[in-house]
Amino acid sequence: MNSDHSAIRMLTRSWLARIFLLICMMGVSASTVFAASPVGKGFDHARTGFQLSGAHGNVRCESCHMQGVFKGTPTQCAGCHTDSSQRASAAAMPAKHLPTRQACESCHNTASFSGARFNHAGVAPGTCSTCHNGGTAKGKPGMHIATTAACDTCHKTGSWTPASFNHSAVAAGSCASCHNGKTATGKPNTHIPTTAVCDSCHKTSAWTPASFSHTGVAPGACSTCHNGKTATGKSASHIPTTAACDTCHKTSAWKPATFSHTGIAPGTCATCHNGPTATGKPTSHIPTTQSCDSCHKTSAWTPASFSHSGVAAGSCATCHNGKTATGKPSVHIPTTGVCDTCHKTSAWKPATFNHTGVAPGTCSTCHNGTTAKGKTTTHIPTTQACDTCHKTSAWTPANFSHTGVTPGTCVTCHNGSKAAGKHSTHIPTTAACDSCHKTAAWKPATMNHTGIAPGTCSTCHNGTTATGKSASHIPTTAVCDTCHKISSWNTATMNHAGIASGTCSTCHNGSTATGKPTNHIPTTQACDSCHKTSAWVPATFSHTGVAPGTCSTCHNGSTATGKPTNHIPTTQACDSCHKTSAWVPATFSHTGVAP
């Protein structure tokens, strides 16, 4: 590039020398030439290697070429535009110009100094406000974040925004001036409720991690942040509770906690009261699996509203020893049984007494009418011990022992007063109770029908007191014992008296009793149309309903009289000639008679 410039300079000098020589030969002075229009008429200044542009094309030649000297004319702006330049017409850099080491043409052009496309290269760091003061160039607006930092601390020379912000020198507590959601990111709607300024917790280097200050945090809002994601939340082993964190914990530290039991899930005391976390159940505690709050209050351990639920069976005396709690009095029934064998945890009395361990036959030792209830004046006369009949669980019902009771003397006791007697619906009988009933139980009774009035079966056999007549029974108005024996319903000596006419097949159907055989004469007549109830045969036969032409079905010589050997030869049916009332006289039909 230097060699090109040298060549241009040599060419320029050569042409200028020729021009100057030509002028001298013509007798024209140089001043006259320079006094002409700028650059000289028809002269192409670009051939000198320096293009005249903008305002340079309008100045007179001698403004740059002093005293007619062409050689050595400066080609750089600073060669003319300085206070020390002899070319007075060239505007120099003003005193209030931005401090810079850059060449003029880096920002200015020959058209005009003003409206310069500014190149900040070479501008001394921290001097932005020298120009950007609101007068020379756009300065810091009134709504700018309060700061004493130089412009280029945050802004770039390429553009104001985006700015790589440096929070140094930003006034404390003024974050929201910019971080308002418009100028810069503000507090999100999920932010912990607080009136504290941003920099109370956050650093200018990053939002997180935040050195959090709980000042100004709304009470009960801890979990907004302490949810296990934003900040440490309630651990899996935490006491079950719906109370807010600050109900117990302080913002300065989790522990020690001024504990509030409000909201603690019932039955979860031992989660904390386990000995390590908080005071637990002492070794001398009553054996129990119940939760602490079954008896104790959250305000204090004692006094306790005691609940015996979950107390280990048989451990009453651990507490009820006369010292810790009321024990067995001196007048107590002699026993080695534990308290809860008889007593309830709700009250000492009444006691469901447990006779376990009491020697058999010694009931009257206590049940003597003084220590405990004894035998009443209305009691059945007996020398038996109480437990021979009575159970230790209750006096009644009594599992009575009839051993030694004289047979037939049941009514001595079972008279409706001392013990259950014969009720009003009982089967009429004069038999003694033990004729049918057993001493073990009234039912089932081995029934003795001796003394039962004939025809009174249905008094008991009515389907309620005892089995009655079934729905499929033969229609009859006869009393049970007309056919049935008291020993058994089946194999009845059947008495057809009272059987409704035409109802034979109700029983005689082949299942309940013998029915019509397969070779019976075809007929739709009821059984008793021909047969008697005393026996099937002989039958007073009624041919009513017999199908015409079917006589030989019965009249075949076996079932009934058939055609004799001397009968007129014929193939006609019997009833072609004979009447069902008698064989003779016959109205003879010759049809079919052999010729």
Side-chain angles (χ1 to χ4, degrees):
M1 184 178 289
N2 292 333
S3 61
D4 292 340
H5 289 169
S6 298
I8 292 172
R9 285 196 294 271
M10 290 177 67
L11 179 61
T12 301
R13 290 170 182 172
S14 175
W15 279 102
L16 290 174
R18 293 176 184 179
I19 292 171
F20 186 73
L21 179 61
L22 178 60
I23 291 172
C24 292
M25 291 175 65
M26 293 175 64
V28 180
S29 67
S31 60
T32 301
V33 175
F34 294 141
S37 60
V39 184
K41 293 181 179 180
F43 181 72
D44 186 5
H45 200 283
R47 296 176 60 185
T48 67
F50 187 81
Q51 176 69 46
L52 295 180
S53 61
H56 285 145
N58 298 322
V59 299
R60 300 180 63 82
C61 299
E62 63 269 24
S63 296
C64 297
H65 299 291
M66 303 298 295
Q67 300 177 358
V69 178
F70 291 93
K71 183 178 181 180
T73 300
T75 59
Q76 302 297 321
C77 302
C80 298
H81 295 284
T82 58
D83 292 336
S84 60
S85 174
Q86 295 179 357
R87 297 163 180 77
S89 61
M93 182 187 300
K96 64 178 183 178
H97 193 280
L98 298 175
T100 178
R101 295 190 294 274
Q102 292 293 307
C104 301
E105 60 269 26
S106 296
C107 303
H108 301 284
N109 55 49
T110 57
S112 174
F113 276 110
S114 60
R117 181 178 61 80
F118 194 73
N119 187 330
H120 291 83
V123 175
T127 62
C128 305
S129 60
T130 305
C131 181
H132 290 288
N133 50 23
T136 306
K138 186 177 182 180
K140 187 161 56 177
M143 63 177 183
H144 194 279
I145 298 170
T147 178
T148 57
C151 303
D152 53 355
T153 304
C154 303
H155 301 286
K156 299 297 182 185
T157 56
S159 62
W160 291 113
T161 56
S164 176
F165 195 75
N166 187 320
H167 293 81
S168 301
V170 174
S174 65
C175 306
S177 302
C178 182
H179 290 286
N180 51 23
K182 296 178 180 180
T183 308
T185 304
K187 187 161 59 177
N189 53 22
T190 58
H191 194 282
I192 300 170
T194 178
T195 55
V197 295
C198 305
D199 52 357
S200 297
C201 303
H202 300 286
K203 299 297 182 184
T204 56
S205 56
W207 291 114
T208 56
S211 177
F212 194 73
S213 169
H214 292 82
T215 303
V217 175
C222 306
S223 60
T224 307
C225 182
H226 289 285
N227 51 23
K229 296 179 180 179
T230 309
T232 304
K234 188 160 57 177
S235 64
S237 59
H238 193 281
I239 299 171
T241 178
T242 55
C245 304
D246 53 356
T247 304
C248 302
H249 300 286
K250 299 297 183 184
T251 55
S252 56
W254 292 114
K255 298 179 181 180
T258 305
F259 195 74
S260 169
H261 292 82
T262 303
I264 299 297
T268 62
C269 306
T271 306
C272 182
H273 289 287
N274 50 22
T277 309
T279 304
K281 188 161 55 178
T283 54
S284 59
H285 195 281
I286 299 171
T288 178
T289 56
Q290 286 295 295
S291 59
C292 304
D293 53 355
S294 296
C295 302
H296 300 287
K297 301 297 182 183
T298 55
S299 56
W301 291 113
T302 54
S305 175
F306 194 73
S307 168
H308 293 82
S309 299
V311 175
S315 63
C316 306
T318 305
C319 181
H320 290 286
N321 50 22
K323 297 178 181 179
T324 307
T326 304
K328 188 161 55 178
S330 57
V331 295
H332 195 281
I333 298 171
T335 178
T336 56
V338 294
C339 303
D340 52 357
T341 305
C342 303
H343 300 286
K344 300 296 182 182
T345 55
S346 56
W348 291 114
K349 296 179 181 179
T352 305
F353 193 74
N354 187 319
H355 294 81
T356 303
V358 176
T362 62
C363 306
S364 59
T365 305
C366 180
H367 290 286
N368 51 23
T370 303
T371 307
K373 188 176 181 180
K375 190 161 53 177
T376 63
T377 56
T378 59
H379 195 281
I380 299 170
T382 178
T383 57
Q384 294 290 306
C386 303
D387 53 358
T388 303
C389 301
H390 300 287
K391 299 295 182 184
T392 55
S393 55
W395 292 115
T396 55
N399 184 12
F400 192 74
S401 172
H402 292 81
T403 303
V405 175
T406 305
T409 62
C410 304
V411 294
T412 305
C413 182
H414 291 287
N415 52 20
S417 299
K418 294 182 179 179
K422 187 161 58 178
H423 53 81
S424 58
T425 59
H426 194 282
I427 300 170
T429 178
T430 56
C433 302
D434 52 358
S435 296
C436 301
H437 301 287
K438 299 295 182 185
T439 55
W442 291 115
K443 298 180 181 180
T446 305
M447 180 64 188
N448 184 337
H449 291 82
T450 303
I452 301 296
T456 62
C457 305
S458 60
T459 304
C460 182
H461 291 285
N462 51 23
T464 304
T465 308
T467 304
K469 187 161 58 178
S470 65
S472 60
H473 194 280
I474 300 170
T476 179
T477 56
V479 294
C480 304
D481 52 357
T482 302
C483 302
H484 300 284
K485 299 298 181 184
I486 56 177
S487 57
S488 173
W489 289 113
N490 298 320
T491 65
T493 304
M494 178 65 188
N495 186 329
H496 292 82
I499 300 297
S501 299
T503 62
C504 305
S505 60
T506 304
C507 183
H508 290 286
N509 51 24
S511 298
T512 308
T514 304
K516 188 161 58 178
T518 56
N519 61 359
H520 194 281
I521 299 171
T523 179
T524 57
Q525 289 295 299
C527 303
D528 53 355
S529 296
C530 302
H531 302 283
K532 299 297 181 182
T533 57
S534 57
W536 290 115
V537 291
T540 306
F541 194 73
S542 172
H543 291 85
T544 303
V546 175
T550 62
C551 304
S552 60
T553 304
C554 182
H555 290 286
N556 51 23
S558 298
T559 307
T561 304
K563 189 162 55 178
T565 56
N566 62 354
H567 194 282
I568 300 170
T570 179
T571 58
Q572 289 295 302
C574 302
D575 53 353
S576 296
C577 300
H578 302 284
K579 300 297 182 180
T580 56
S581 58
W583 290 115
V584 289
T587 304
F588 190 76
S589 171
H590 291 86
T591 302
V593 176

